[in-house]
Structure formats: C-alpha cells, structure tokens
Amino acid sequence: MSIQVHPNAIVDPKAELAEGVFVGPFCTVGPGVKLGARTKLVSHVVIDGRTELGEDNVVYPFAMLGGPPQHTAYKGEETQLIVGDRNLIREHATMNTGTAGGGGVTRVGSDGLYMIESHVGHDCVIGDNVILTKQATLGGHCEIADFVIIGGLAAVHQRTRVGRHAMVGGLAAVVKDVIPYGSVWGNHAHLEGLNLLGLKRRGFSRETINTMRAAYRLLFADEGTFQERLDDTVETYSDVPEVMEIVDFIRADASRPLCLPEREV
C-alpha cells in the first residue's frame, strides 16, 4: 500500500510516513513527526513537534497535534506527543506536547473519539476508548483512564484523575478526582452516583451492578467518617474487583480531593 501525499500538502523530508498513510490537501507535517500505517489526514491538518501517531488514525480538518505546551515555564524544550491507534480526531481538536517539568510526554491511548474543538493539555495521560465530546477540555497533567466519557463543554482541572468507566456530564467543572465507574456533573462537579448507563452498555452483569450500587451506598453514606466507611467497604467487598478498583483509586493519592455526593442542607 503506497503513501499518498496531496500536491498541496507540505511534508517535511525528515518526517516518517509508514505504508498506506494519506496526507490530504493543505496539511502541514513537521520534521519530527511519525505517522503510523494507514493513518489519514483528511485536509488542513497541522502536525508538528515530536509527535507520533500510531496506525489507522483519522484526523479531520483544522486539527492541531503536537503544538507546544500552553505553559509559561515552557522554554522550547524538545517534548513529545504520543498517540495510539484507531483514534478519530475531529475538526479543530488540539493536543499539545508535554513539558520538561511534567515528564516531557503527553500520551493518548487507542480507539478514542476526540470531537470538534476538544483539547488535550500538556503532560496528560489518556487511556483507551476515551471520548471527549464537543469542546471538552483537559488541563495539564490530567490522568483519564479507559472508557471515560467527558461531556460537551466540560472542563477537567489540571492534575485531576478520572477513573475507568466514569462519566463527566456536559458543562461540568471538575476540580476533584472522579472515582472509577462514577458519574459527575455540575459547577463545581459533584458525584451523582455510578455511571449505570455506561456499565449496562459495556456488558456488566445486573448482579455486578447491584453489588457496586450497594458498595457505593456504603462508601458514601452519612454515618461515620470516610475512613471508617472505606474500611467497611474493603471488609465487605474485598472479593469484588470493581469495588476494589474504586478503593485502590482513592488510596492511590490521598492528597487529592474527591468529587463527593451533594449533601442536603
């Protein structure tokens, strides 16, 4: 399968293009760029910096990948953006390279959908099967796990973690960590419960979902301290991997605040 570069595209001779790459009209590909097999740049795409795209990605017009980090400490260091396979990156989406102080690499997984005008900030680490809907924004250093959905116009504050299978509702302002399987919404975002619709769509059994709901009610009850409820949850549900994933997420960084349910006044 041959490489196809439109005559109106500008591809630096030092860029590396694998078999089957398609570069459409008015695209610009910089010297530090590597494009994996069968990746397609539809038109008017800019890819710059030390940027690697894996195989079978499709990038739509006016997306900008590999631009320098939007950080005042950045002084032109050579940092990276690494993107996996089979991602669909829509119009005007942006993904920045990392910063020297943040590890130097922004990492995006595979099989994601990055809708129009979504933004991935510097040093983010994003898992597989992630969806950023229209104008969803990730600040620098965010950690977004597999199967997360970020709703339209939602903003995730820098250094925030969002656990696997979580759902962030549209317009949410997320300044605290979101537990795996959680569903948050609001400004500032609060925990509304588990992402039940996502769990059902992804094939979790009714028994598992009911067990997770019971564990959620125990963990976020009004009685006792949070540490006491966390210990009770471990004692009761230590054999349930999904519940223990939530517990491990909470314990992984005790310095980070969590999105919690709203309390009635």
Side-chain angles (χ1 to χ4, degrees):
M1 194 179 237
S2 62
I3 297 169
Q4 300 180 61
V5 177
H6 193 278
N8 289 332
I10 300 173
V11 178
D12 192 280
K14 295 180 181 177
E16 299 181 23
L17 277 57
E19 270 190 28
V21 164
F22 174 87
V23 181
F26 305 107
C27 293
T28 303
V29 179
V33 173
K34 297 180 181 179
L35 302 180
R38 299 172 303 280
T39 282
K40 180 178 181 180
L41 313 183
V42 175
S43 74
H44 299 83
V45 174
V46 177
I47 305 187
D48 205 359
R50 287 183 60 201
T51 297
E52 298 181 20
L53 270 66
E55 299 180 353
D56 299 298
N57 293 288
V58 181
V59 187
Y60 278 77
F62 305 107
M64 169 62 180
L65 309 182
Q70 299 176 56
H71 195 299
T72 56
Y74 180 69
K75 303 302 179 185
E77 300 90 349
E78 191 173 85
T79 55
Q80 287 184 279
L81 168 67
I82 299 176
V83 179
D85 305 324
R86 299 175 301 279
N87 291 290
L88 188 61
I89 302 172
R90 295 303 302 262
E91 296 85 352
H92 297 275
T94 53
M95 298 180 179
N96 292 160
T97 60
T99 62
V105 183
T106 302
R107 297 185 184 274
V108 176
S110 298
D111 300 298
L113 170 57
Y114 298 86
M115 294 189 190
I116 182 171
E117 297 177 341
S118 58
H119 174 68
V120 176
H122 59 85
D123 304 296
C124 286
V125 178
I126 301 179
D128 299 334
N129 298 284
V130 167
I131 299 176
L132 266 60
T133 57
K134 178 178 170 62
Q135 294 182 333
T137 299
L138 304 180
H141 310 276
C142 289
E143 297 180 22
I144 310 297
D146 298 344
F147 295 102
V148 167
I149 299 175
I150 310 291
L153 296 163
V156 181
H157 192 270
Q158 62 190 38
R159 301 187 185 278
T160 298
R161 300 179 301 149
V162 181
R164 289 196 327 136
H165 296 282
M167 171 72 191
V168 174
L171 297 169
V174 184
V175 300
K176 300 177 181 179
D177 290 354
V178 181
I179 61 169
Y181 311 102
S183 177
V184 303
W185 182 82
N187 185 4
H188 289 37
H190 60 272
L191 194 59
E192 294 243 314
L194 296 175
N195 182 16
L196 298 177
L197 182 59
L199 293 172
K200 292 173 183 176
R201 285 176 172 172
R202 292 169 191 145
F204 286 77
S205 69
R206 178 176 295 182
E207 179 183 6
T208 297
I209 292 173
N210 287 339
T211 300
M212 293 173 68
R213 293 179 72 182
Y216 177 92
R217 287 193 291 269
L218 173 59
L219 183 57
F220 295 106
D222 291 326
E223 298 79 16
T225 67
F226 185 75
Q227 185 59 56
E228 289 170 343
R229 298 195 302 270
L230 189 65
D231 293 340
D232 291 343
T233 302
V234 172
E235 183 177 348
T236 307
Y237 297 101
S238 61
D239 60 339
V240 182
E242 293 82 6
V243 175
M244 292 308 298
E245 182 177 347
I246 296 172
V247 171
D248 291 342
F249 178 91
I250 294 170
R251 286 176 166 173
D253 191 348
S255 67
R256 288 286 310 166
L258 288 173
C259 284
L260 298 172
E262 281 192 319
R263 302 299 184 193
E264 294 185 6
V265 179

